[in-house]
Structure formats: structure tokens, C-alpha cells
């Protein structure tokens, strides 16, 4: 169905905001993107800050508007985990089948490119312009230098809130009656650190791997950048024995890394300085409903469903919102009320599912990795999946390398878990884990 | 322990705000209560709007500061439910033992009295003064005529947010990192209506009863006022076959009441007019954590834990917050950081428990009352409780007529439910429900 051109404001020039701008511009709409921050293309940064893992859903959304190739040039494919266990050689776990990989991309580098591509399509960007208020039924937005100062009023046919987990647009919707909302922080925070390149520009760790140092209640990860560096993240409880609170001197920071991450400690740049100079950030799961207001306002991406990063799906889920919204627009043409209604009905359960999957992955990493039963279960699953790849696709592959709805990936994962629960109750399971009996049990239960 | 006098601001002059003012004033602090609304003593109202059910926890908190007697004069004790089933005579269920009752009190009448009592203690009230912002670490509050206009700044040693479910104080705390928050609306709304007194001032329905017309997915209730009237509330889904949405003409409103509430319809004042003149309100469960900020700011009552009204415990829980806070103050003297830390640690689980109990009561009323198995189970429980009153105290009595922590009331209720689940699985339970076998089974499982 054809579209009558609308004037559309997008609040937020991040990854989701700029991709949505490209999609809507291609449909013939007039697009203005507002952002309270300056143009990221004029902001100096190392090109290393916070790395994303682009996977199938993200690529699919980029492909639809013909920009997959240009973005791939910014990334490095990672086809495996490199696991660093204390006192062992680093070893590798393939993510999926041959050719399957997640891509490490710097958020800043990607965002610059996306804004450039959107501008090339004819999207207008208004940087350094903060939206303080929004009149939902009339599509009016109010910007200005300060909350108490003079405001500029703009009127649009449609307003999209792509302004992230602490969305101002959602904030306005939240004050309405019958708006369900929750924000839940986990007790683990994170801090970015850097492993610089070798003198010759090469990577200090294996380049095409997602490096992980799992340590039960905390972990350290490293993702490669094009310049030969790695962006590293320490996930650690805020309080407790091993925690951001307890590491309160340079000596303790150095000792903590030397003890727990001996294969990384010497590679990290300015460890003790950066540890205290870089912020400790919190991690939140944010859910809300409804996501839309009449035919006027809609939330897309983190503003509608912020999740913890342990499945690497935050950006991918946001891009999938846009891909699916675009399909719904194609179905309903100018009926934006219907479009928004379908959009939120279809996407909400999937957003809840990836939130749940991401939270579980955090639980798994933080508390189950030390449980021998859990490790045995994973070993059995893996052996079975290797032998019967069509009968047992691991959850990780469903989420990362397919475009199956998240809600189905979660349900199938639950069914698999139910089967494994029964398998793990077989007598002497630790001894017979690779027996025909176990294999037949799974086949029977499937 | 003695207290150093502090300057304390309380935001909100509702029931919790004014009772907290009385408590803190008695400890020697200088108290100012801010409210955006005018002084309720100067506002004309019928004395009928929204009735509260004061029960044991509420009375206990009032008794502690010597005002129980004065408040009892404003209320009417209800010792039973009067149940109006279609096509049957109205019948009665005693709430508890002899002398146990909940008290019907008009919110407006009670609030006026509480403000008067607080003023008599030397509390200062600043009405018509809306708090727009708060500086949490410095205890500064900002008031003014409009959000964008000039603001007045006040500095206090301590600030209490008693400003209800949509608290401005909490709203400020919510923008901080690591603040957990949720608001969940149910699909049922409510509307107030009135049954006026007889010409001689007497009540048109039995005076000392909580009148209820249960109808599965919806219900109608009536609570008596001192002037002979009843304040009535219709609880009804917003959408669906029988819903606020579907009752969209005067004829439909009258037909709905005549069909479902034939024993009430002729008694209601201006039914069709009021049905459309009075607002349809939503019901929310609101949870958050933390409730306090350093030794500076604390939330009390609905601002910390708004619940649905189906257990009649909202105000009682808020008053209990104050009673318990007062005990903690007595323990820790001037250490307000410790006081606030203990307060939130002790009260949060109890607030979650009464939220859960209240929500379950809604589920029970809205979907289980038509289930014969559920009714049979309740019959068995009642028979057993009558025979063994020390062994089986119903949840309702624990919550309403004791001061057992809500968290324990919930846990014991769960344990009782677990027992009843097993009892209900006995073969032919419908035939043998009042047998010795059933009785012995419960005794064995207890």
C-alpha cells in the first residue's frame, strides 16, 4: 500500500533513531531527528568505546535498506568464544555452524556512519536540541536550552521516541493512567577498559574471537576493534567481597586483575588509572506498555524495552523492531493507528522474551558456571546437538543466527530445558552421559 | 534514645502525611507539611467520597499517639459482610470473632480531623503549594505556581514523601541509577456512586455491614456513612462485554444495574447522571526500592507502595509504616541514616506481601468466585477453622485483625493453600468434604 507523506520527528539520533530515519525517509516521509547531544561525528573519541555484537537480526534490518555491505566494513566477525580459564590454556568454542559469526562493531563508529547514511537519504538532524516535553495527542514537542527556560514548539504528524532506556518520550507516557512500567537494576555493574594494539597494529589476542574470562560472580570480556585494540568490559557486583565497592585503591585493582585475569592484566592499558577514571555503570531491564499513543507517538528500541547486555541482542532487537514495523506499514498504508496497534501487539511479547533470555544468561554466567551439574548438562546438550543438528538447535543459535521470533526461541528453549531436567535425573547420569541410553531418552522426549 | 530536633518537611497532607506529622512533632521536631491542594477543611464535599476500612493496624498506630478515640467517633464498625446474590435473600458472613470489626470512615472526614489534630500539636501546613523538584542530597525542595515559573527554595534536615501513588518525591528518586520501580495497572476500573439516607436519616441497608454484590468479573460494594448514606463503588473491567466502555448510554447504565444489582438499583441516587458525571478511575500496584536517600529523604505510605484496594489495607499499611518507623527511631536516636536503612529493610518485604495479598484478592473475586471447586475449598476451610480456631486462622483475619507482619500472613496463607491443594485431591472430595477423613487429613498436614 502507498503512503501519504507525513512530517515525522524522531527523538534520539542513536543507532535505532538513525536506522528508523532511513527506513521512513525511503517511504517518502519528511524526517527530522532531534538529539540533545552534539553531532557524534564532531565528537573526538578513540573509536573503541562500548562494542556491539551485530548478529543476524541486525544484519537483516540493514540489508532491507541496502546498507549491510557498508556497515560490514566497520566490523570484525567473531566466529567463536575464546575462553580463558584460570590455570588452563585458552580454548575456543565455535558459536555456530561454518560461516556463522557475530560482528564486533564500535558503537561510536557505527553511529557516525548511520547518521551519514541517513543524511544522504535526506534526513534532517537537529543536534544539541533537547526535547523537554511532548504533547502526545497533538504531536507537539518542546525543546530548549534548559527545562525552566524558553522553549521552542514543533508540531509533527508523528513522533517516534528512540531516546533510549531513560526516554523522555516514554517518561511523558508513563505519567498517564493505565501505563504499565518497570525498571529493574541488577546488582552487577560494568566498567570499560582497553587493550591497545601491538606496535605493528596487530591484535594482542586472537582477533576473530569474543574473549571471555568467566569467574562465577564476575567476568571480564574483550572484543576487537579495527585499529588492533580490544574494548574490554569488567562485569562485577557493586557490593560484596569481590566488588566495585571493595576495590578502592590502585593496589587492590592491580591485585584483583593479577589474581583473576593473569592472561589479560599485562595487556590492559593504564589499568589502575582507567579503573578509577572510567565510570562504573549500572544495568537495567526496562519494560513498559503500551508502546504507542493513538496514531501519534510510538517508542522503538531501548525506549520501549531496555535489556541487560548478556545476550548481545539489545541493538539487534531494536533493529528488528524497525524491520517488523516496516512490514506492518506495508500492510496498512496510511492507517497509522492500526499500524501502531499491530506493531506493539507483535513486538511486545518478543521484547519480553529477549529480556527474559538476556536476564537468564546473566544468571547463568553469574551463578551456574561453577555448578558441575550445569556443566554436565551443557556437555550432554552439546553432544546431542552435534549428532542431531536438525533436532536440537541451541537457544543461542536460535536467538543469534536465526530470525525466529524471540518468543518462540524462548519457548523452545524452555521445552529443551524440561527434557534435560528429566535426562539429568537418570541414575548415574555423570557416568553414562555419553551413552546410547541418554541419547535415546532425549530422542524419545523430543 | 533522645532526639535532636530537626527541621522536617512532609510532602503531602493526606492521611499518612498528617499522621506522620503528629508522630514526629511529638518527638520534638519542627514540622512543615506541604500540599499542592487547598486545605481540605475549606473544601466543600458531601462527606461521602471514598470510604476507608480502618482495621487493627490502623487503630494501633492511632492509639500510639492517643487519638484512637477521637477517630472512632467518625466511623461505623462493620462486623460482617452482607452478601447480595442474584435471586437469593441477602445473607451475612461474620468477619471474625465477637467484637472484631473493620470501620467504615470517609476519607475526607478523616483527613480533616487528622489535619486539625496535627495543627493542635504545632505542625505547620502550607496548602496550595506544589513541590516541583527536590534536591535529594541537600534536602532542598522547590515550590511554585507553575513548573516553568519562579520557584521558592526551602532547605530541611529531612524530607518525607507522603505524596501518594504518583509521588513527585519518588519521581525524582526514580531518575537515579539503581532505583527499582514498577507500576502495574489492572484491567478493572472503579466508579463511586451514592445511596442516600432515608428521609428520617436512617440507613437504607443494614448499617453495620460491608455490602457486596459479587458478580464474577465485576462487583458492587456499599459502605455506610454517619449521615445515613452509603458510599458505593462499582468495580468493572474497562473493556469487554460488561465494561465501562460498553455502558455508553443512560439506558445501558440503568439496564446494567437493574439486571445485575436489582436490590440496589432503586436506592442509588441519580444513577444514570452520576454514572457519567463521576470519573472512572484506574487501579495500580506500585513498587519501588530503595525507599530512602541517605539520612535525607524517605517515602512513607502509597508513595512507597501503592496497592489495589481489595484487601482494604492501603491506609492501614501506611499507618503501620509510621508505627514501625517510630519504633526504629526510638532504637537509633539521631542516626537517621541507620533509621532509614532499617525502616526500608523491614517494611519493603511487608509492603510486597500486602501488595501480593491484595492482588490475589482481586483475582479471587474477579475469576474464582464462580468456580465450584474454589467454593468447596472455602467451605472446607471454614468448617475446619470453626472447629479448630487456634489451628487455622484465615488469612483475612491475620491481615485484618492481627498485627502479624504481612510477610508472615502471606507465608502462612501459602502453607494453608498447599494443604488445601492436597485435601482437594482426595477422591470424592465433594461428597466427603465434611467427613472425619478430611478433618484428619488437614490435622495431619498442619
Amino acid at each position: 500500500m502507498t503512503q501519504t507523506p507525513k512530517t515525522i520527528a524522531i527523538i534520539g539520533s542513536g543507532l535505532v533513531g538513525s536506522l528508523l530515519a532511513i527506513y521512513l525517509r525511503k517511504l517518502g516521509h519528511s524526517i527530522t531527528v532531534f538529539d540533545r547531544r552534539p553531532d557524534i561525528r564532531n565528537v573526538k573519541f578513540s573509536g573503541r568505546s562500548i562494542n556491539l555484537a551485530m548478529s543476524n537480526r541486525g544484519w537483516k534490518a540493514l540489508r532491507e535498506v541496502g546498507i549491510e555491505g557498508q556497515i560490514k566494513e566497520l566490523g570484525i566477525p567473531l566466529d567463536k568464544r575464546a575462553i580463558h580459564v584460570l590455570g588452563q590454556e585458552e580454548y575456543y568454542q565455535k558459536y555456530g555452524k561454518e560461516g556463522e559469526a557475530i560482528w564486533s562493531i564500535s558503537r561510536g563508529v557505527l553511529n557516525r556512519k548511520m547518521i551519514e547514511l541517513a543524511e544522504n537519504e535526506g534526513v534532517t538532524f537537529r543536534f544539541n536540541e533537547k526535547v523537554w516535553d511532548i504533547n502526545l495527542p497533538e504531536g507537539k514537542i518542546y525543546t530548549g536550552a534548559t527545562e525552566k527556560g524558553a522553549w521552542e514548539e514543533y508540531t509533527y504528524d508523528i513522533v517516534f521516541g528512540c531516546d533510549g532506556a531513560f526516554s523522555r518520550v516514554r517518561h511523558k507516557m508513563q505519567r498517564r493512567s493505565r501505563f504499565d512500567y518497570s525498571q529493574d537494576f541488577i546488582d552487577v555493574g560494568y566498567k570499560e577498559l582497553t587493550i591497545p594494539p601491538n606496535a605493528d597494529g596487530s591484535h594482542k589476542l586472537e582477533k576473530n574471537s569474543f574473549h571471555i574470562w568467566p569467574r562465577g560472580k564476575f567476568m571480564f570480556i574483550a572484543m576487537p576493534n579495527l585499529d588492533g585494540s580490544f574494548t574490554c568490559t569488567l562485569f562485577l557486583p557493586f557490593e560484596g567481597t569481590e566488588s566495585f565497592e571493595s576495590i578502592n585503591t590502585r593496589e587492590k585493582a592491580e591485585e584483583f586483575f593479577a589474581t583473576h585475569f593473569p592472561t589479560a592484566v599485562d595487556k590492559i592499558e593504564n589499568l589502575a588509572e582507567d579503573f578509577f577514571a572510567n565510570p562504573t555503570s549500572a544495568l537495567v531491564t526496562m519494560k513498559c506498555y503500551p508502546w504507542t499513543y493513538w496514531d501519534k507517538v510510538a517508542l522503538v528500541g531501548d525506549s520501549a524495552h531496555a535489556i541487560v547486555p548478556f545476550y548481545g541482542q539489545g541493538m539487534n532487537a531494536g533493529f528488528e523492531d524497525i524491520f517488523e514495523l516496516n512490514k506492518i506499514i506495508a500492510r496498512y498504508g496510511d492507517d497509522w493507528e492500526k499500524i501502531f496497534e499491530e506493531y506493539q501487539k507483535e513486538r511486545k511479547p518478543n521484547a519480553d522474551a529477549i529480556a527474559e533470555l538476556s536476564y537468564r544468561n546473566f544468571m547463568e554466567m553469574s551463578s551456574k558456571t561453577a555448578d558441575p551439574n550445569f556443566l554436565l548438562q551443557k556437555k550432554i546438550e552439546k553432544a546431542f546437538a552435534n549428532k542431531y543438528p536438525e533436532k536440537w538447535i541451541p537457544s543461542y543459535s536460535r536467538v543469534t543466527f536465526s530470525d525466529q521470533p524471540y518468543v518462540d526461541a524462548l519457548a523452545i528453549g524452555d521445552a529443551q530445558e524440561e527434557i534435560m531436567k528429566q535426562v539429568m535425573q537418570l541414575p548415574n547420569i555423570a557416568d553414562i552421559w555419553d551413552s546410547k541410553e541418554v541419547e535415546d531418552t532425549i530422542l524419545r522426549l523430543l
Side-chain angles (χ1 to χ4, degrees), chain A:
Chain A
M1 289 178 77
T2 54
Q3 288 251 298
T4 308
K6 301 278 184 187
T7 61
I8 296 178
I10 294 175
I11 317 304
S13 72
L15 302 174
V16 165
S18 35
L19 182 59
L20 179 62
I22 293 170
Y23 266 79
L24 293 172
R25 186 71 199 104
K26 282 185 182 283
L27 293 174
H29 302 294
S30 162
I31 314 291
T32 309
V33 179
F34 289 81
D35 203 304
R36 65 186 170 87
R37 293 164 303 185
D39 187 341
I40 192 172
R41 292 168 299 182
N42 306 330
V43 175
K44 222 178 107 56
F45 66 84
S46 65
R48 297 171 183 173
S49 73
I50 309 184
N51 278 49
L52 301 160
M54 183 91 72
S55 56
N56 185 60
R57 294 166 208 263
W59 291 123
K60 185 175 161 190
L62 295 172
R63 196 178 312 136
E64 181 75 10
V65 283
I67 60 176
E68 182 188 18
Q70 292 171 79
I71 303 300
K72 277 214 162 140
E73 287 168 21
L74 308 177
I76 298 173
L78 315 181
D79 61 352
K80 58 191 172 303
R81 293 190 192 92
I83 301 183
H84 302 253
V85 174
L86 266 180
Q88 286 183 30
E89 279 291 291
E90 130 186 10
Y91 67 93
Y92 299 99
Q93 281 181 344
K94 288 281 280 184
Y95 270 126
K97 294 180 295 212
E98 197 54 39
E100 286 182 337
I102 63 173
W103 290 65
S104 173
I105 303 186
S106 150
R107 176 185 291 272
V109 169
L110 175 59
N111 207 157
R112 284 178 170 176
K113 184 69 179 181
M114 299 284 291
I115 290 171
E116 182 197 314
L117 293 170
E119 271 191 353
N120 292 348
E121 293 288 336
V123 170
T124 303
F125 283 83
R126 297 185 69 102
F127 294 105
N128 298 304
E129 193 160 355
K130 167 147 178 137
V131 174
W132 291 102
D133 199 7
I134 174 165
N135 177 325
L136 302 170
E138 295 178 27
K140 288 189 161 71
I141 63 176
Y142 300 88
T143 69
T146 66
E147 187 154 20
K148 297 271 292 176
W151 285 351
E152 192 85 30
E153 178 188 289
Y154 302 88
T155 306
Y156 288 91
D157 296 328
I158 299 170
V159 178
F160 284 94
C162 303
D163 46 347
F166 297 95
S167 169
R168 195 82 189 181
V169 179
R170 186 193 68 231
H171 184 244
K172 183 73 182 187
M173 292 166 78
Q174 193 193 319
R175 301 297 283 184
R176 297 173 53 225
S177 191
R178 300 186 72 196
F179 185 80
D180 289 339
Y181 176 79
S182 70
Q183 59 185 46
D184 280 291
F185 287 85
I186 58 174
D187 294 332
V188 164
Y190 72 94
K191 190 182 283 286
E192 303 280 342
L193 294 166
T194 303
I195 292 177
N198 289 315
D200 65 357
S202 64
H203 288 81
K204 281 190 197 291
L205 297 163
E206 206 287 319
K207 177 181 170 184
N208 293 107
S209 296
F210 181 98
H211 291 266
I212 177 165
W213 290 255
R215 296 295 182 266
K217 292 202 182 299
F218 55 95
M219 69 172 173
F220 188 66
I221 63 168
M223 294 177 78
N225 295 304
L226 287 177
D227 70 354
S229 66
F230 281 85
T231 299
C232 310
T233 313
L234 172 67
F235 293 95
L236 182 69
F238 282 105
E239 291 95 16
T241 321
E242 320 262 61
S243 70
F244 283 114
E245 193 183 59
S246 71
I247 302 175
N248 49 15
T249 65
R250 289 183 169 216
E251 292 68 35
K252 285 186 189 168
E254 275 160 2
E255 192 195 322
F256 175 78
F257 274 82
T259 306
H260 297 292
F261 313 122
T263 58
V265 64
D266 295 333
K267 303 186 179 72
I268 301 167
E269 195 171 57
N270 303 321
L271 170 56
E273 290 77 9
D274 282 8
F275 190 88
F276 293 102
N278 295 350
T280 304
S281 304
L283 297 164
V284 69
T285 301
M286 194 286 303
K287 297 179 180 179
C288 68
Y289 203 79
W291 290 4
T292 65
Y293 185 91
W294 296 354
D295 57 353
K296 277 291 170 191
V297 181
L299 304 173
V300 183
D302 279 4
S303 65
H305 51 81
I307 60 179
V308 293
F310 302 99
Y311 229 118
Q313 286 292 310
M315 172 194 57
N316 290 288
F319 281 13
E320 195 177 60
D321 285 348
I322 299 169
F323 182 89
E324 296 297 326
L325 173 65
N326 189 53
K327 286 205 301 191
I328 295 165
I329 291 171
R331 274 209 298 281
Y332 297 109
D334 284 334
D335 189 348
W336 284 91
E337 193 164 348
K338 182 80 181 157
I339 289 166
F340 282 176
E341 191 55 34
E342 284 297 302
Y343 160 69
Q344 65 180 1
K345 267 196 202 153
E346 180 192 315
R347 293 305 294 166
K348 169 68 174 167
N350 286 300
D352 286 348
I354 190 61
E356 176 66 20
L357 285 161
S358 302
Y359 181 73
R360 285 190 196 175
N361 248 23
F362 158 65
M363 294 296 284
E364 205 167 292
M365 287 191 299
S366 68
S367 59
K368 290 193 193 159
T369 46
D371 175 357
N373 270 322
F374 176 76
L375 296 174
L376 175 61
Q377 178 180 326
K378 287 290 145 189
K379 201 159 67 169
I380 298 169
E381 285 178 47
K382 194 168 179 181
F384 186 84
N386 283 339
K387 185 150 180 191
Y388 298 100
E390 298 79 35
K391 288 187 194 288
W392 194 282
I393 301 169
S395 273
Y396 187 87
S397 292
R398 289 182 194 282
V399 169
T400 309
F401 302 122
S402 88
D403 57 2
Q404 181 173 50
Y406 288 127
V407 75
D408 295 342
L410 175 63
I412 294 168
D414 282 346
Q416 289 176 339
E417 188 61 31
E418 206 44 56
I419 290 172
M420 289 310 298
K421 222 163 139 182
Q422 297 188 46
V423 169
M424 292 302 288
Q425 278 164 5
L426 292 174
N428 303 317
I429 182 67
D431 301 325
I432 61 160
W433 71 271
D434 58 352
S435 66
K436 183 138 193 336
E437 182 189 348
V438 167
E439 188 183 313
D440 288 344
T441 304
I442 300 176
L443 284 168
R444 182 170 50 77
L445 292 170
L446 265 172

